[in-house]
Every structure is written in C-alpha cells, then in structure tokens.
Amino acid sequence: MRNRTPIIWIGLVIALVGLFLSGCKKAKMEAGEVLQEKAALMSVQGRGAFDQDFSFGPYRATEIHRGWTRREAWNIFGYRDVQARQRFEFRLSGNSEWVCNCATGLDEQTLKTLAGESSTVTFQLSTDIAFVATFMTPESRPWKMVLTRATEDPAMKGFLSDKQTTLRVEGTNKLADTDIPLTQASGYFFRQGENLLGAVDVLNDGRVFLMPSDSAEISDALACASSALLLFQDLSELK
C-alpha cells in the first residue's frame, strides 16, 4: 500500500485554508429576502474610524464633527444639554442638502419634548440608551429620530417622523449566514405600517438598503437616519 501521509496532509491544509477564509469573511446584518430581492443595495464607501467623509449610492456625508458647531443644534436640543454624553453633526447631500445633528445623554425634559405626544417610546427613561437625531433642509419639514434601548436589549428601537409621516425604526442583532446573534446591533430596519422601506447594516464598512419610493424626501430622510446610525457609537459600556 502506498504511503498516504502526503495526501492526508494536503487534505488537512485545504481544510485549514477553508476555515481561515471563512473566518475572515466580514460579518453582515441579516437583511432578509425582501430587501435582498427588491431594494437598492448601496455599499458604504470611505467609512472609517476618524469620521472622514463617506458615501453610499447618490448620498455623501461630509463635515462630520464630534460636537455641535452650528446654531441649529443649540436651538433644537437646548443649551442645558451641553453635557450630552455623545454629540455629533454632519451634512448629507442627496436629492437635497441636509443638516444633521445627533445626541445621546440628553436630559429628561428634552427627550420628552422631542419625542412628542404621538411617541410610542414615551419615555422609558430607565433605558440604557436614548439616541436623538434631527435632519433639516430648507425645502422640507424637519425630521427627527428618537430611539431608545432597554438595558436587556441588544439594539435600539423607536421612530423617525416629520409630524405628518411616522416610520418605525427597529434594531436587529441577527447576522447573515449564522444563527448566532450578536450582543449588540447589527443593523436597523425602517417600516411604515407593514411596509418595509429600507435598512442600514452598521457592521464593518456598512450597507444601506432602500426600497423603490415615489418620495424623494422620505428616501433622503432614510439616508440621513442611516448615516446617523453609521456614525453612532454605543458608549453605554463605558459608564
């Protein structure tokens, strides 16, 4: 019988290479069949650790700054929130030019005011995280996104609204190609009633999904919300 040792070693090497390559595969949010089949998939280009400009599809986020430098933020959030745990701002160009301001760690009165009477999140202020973002452009009504996360939950949830249209924002910790969930958010879905409008995958470089829409403004609002979530950093573990 011929010596089969070389063949065995070759098989082991191939198996180890396969395991190595599968382990190097970048994690992705589980997007689901509807988005994969019907939505425009836009990979994020340029997203990095130092808040450099990034883009996806026709959208580009620029002037990213950790802190508030524009008067709009102070008018919306209030000077009492100067100690907000996390503040950042950016501009997003798409169908229009949007000014976007975001914060966590706002005081209770600001959160209640921004959530409004129609909010379904009214307000579990025992939550571990409360993330608020506003998106404004001269051509349309301002949009606001209010998200909360209970201590035991891996991802935030809440709403995105311009007072006339309200969309649900639902976080997920599911991953593609595995049943093992993350202990943190892998992405967020945007829904209006039973209709899925889009999603953002916040892992690695990031991906944005937008379903076909007759409303350029809603598409822009979803792009703003996606950009804010791509820039968001969960600082709750650093308390």
Side-chain angles (χ1 to χ4, degrees):
M1 179 182 292
R2 292 183 298 176
N3 188 351
R4 299 185 60 186
T5 301
I7 297 174
I8 293 173
W9 277 108
I10 291 172
L12 287 173
V13 169
I14 293 173
L16 288 172
V17 169
L19 286 172
F20 174 78
L21 291 175
S22 64
C24 290
K25 186 177 180 180
K26 288 186 176 181
K28 295 181 179 180
M29 174 193 79
E30 175 54 61
E33 292 183 5
V34 173
L35 288 178
Q36 293 179 7
E37 293 176 359
K38 299 182 179 180
L41 168 58
M42 295 170 280
S43 298
V44 178
Q45 306 294 325
R47 183 188 182 201
F50 296 100
D51 294 341
Q52 67 258 36
D53 297 354
F54 63 86
S55 62
F56 52 93
Y59 297 99
R60 183 170 180 81
T62 60
E63 299 183 39
I64 300 167
H65 182 259
R66 296 284 167 179
W68 295 330
T69 63
R70 304 186 185 94
R71 184 175 57 189
E72 295 95 331
W74 300 112
N75 290 340
I76 293 168
F77 295 108
Y79 284 97
R80 60 182 174 272
D81 292 314
V82 67
Q83 299 300 323
R85 185 166 176 80
Q86 177 179 178
R87 306 192 310 270
F88 61 89
E89 62 187 11
F90 61 96
R91 290 184 181 270
L92 189 77
S93 59
N95 297 299
S96 299
E97 297 289 328
W98 294 79
V99 174
C100 308
N101 294 96
C102 311
T104 66
L106 303 180
D107 73 13
E108 180 176 347
Q109 184 56 49
T110 303
L111 289 170
K112 288 182 176 179
T113 299
L114 289 169
E117 295 181 0
S118 63
S119 171
T120 58
V121 283
T122 314
F123 230 114
Q124 314 165 0
L125 286 175
S126 59
T127 55
D128 194 35
I129 283 287
F131 178 51
V132 177
T134 64
F135 314 122
M136 295 176 291
T137 182
E139 294 81 24
S140 65
R141 297 178 298 276
W143 287 75
K144 63 185 175 185
M145 180 170 66
V146 180
L147 305 178
T148 61
R149 192 198 77 186
T151 303
E152 66 273 11
D153 293 335
M156 300 181 292
K157 62 182 177 181
F159 69 89
L160 172 65
S161 177
D162 68 348
K163 293 188 176 180
Q164 292 189 13
T165 301
T166 298
L167 314 177
R168 298 198 319 277
V169 183
E170 301 172 347
T172 179
N173 64 338
K174 293 183 178 180
L175 292 171
D177 303 320
T178 179
D179 293 329
I180 302 174
L182 283 180
T183 57
Q184 61 188 33
S186 57
Y188 294 85
F189 294 98
F190 305 106
R191 302 180 187 273
Q192 185 176 27
E194 298 301 317
N195 297 322
L196 181 58
L197 304 186
V200 56
D201 179 346
V202 299
L203 299 177
N204 296 305
D205 294 334
R207 301 179 297 163
V208 177
F209 299 82
L210 290 181
M211 295 288 280
S213 174
D214 295 329
S215 173
E217 182 180 338
I218 289 180
S219 294
D220 275 7
L222 294 177
C224 288
S226 297
S227 299
L229 289 164
L230 286 165
L231 288 166
F232 169 77
Q233 295 174 344
D234 188 347
L235 304 179
S236 61
E237 300 300 325
L238 302 180
K239 289 182 180 180

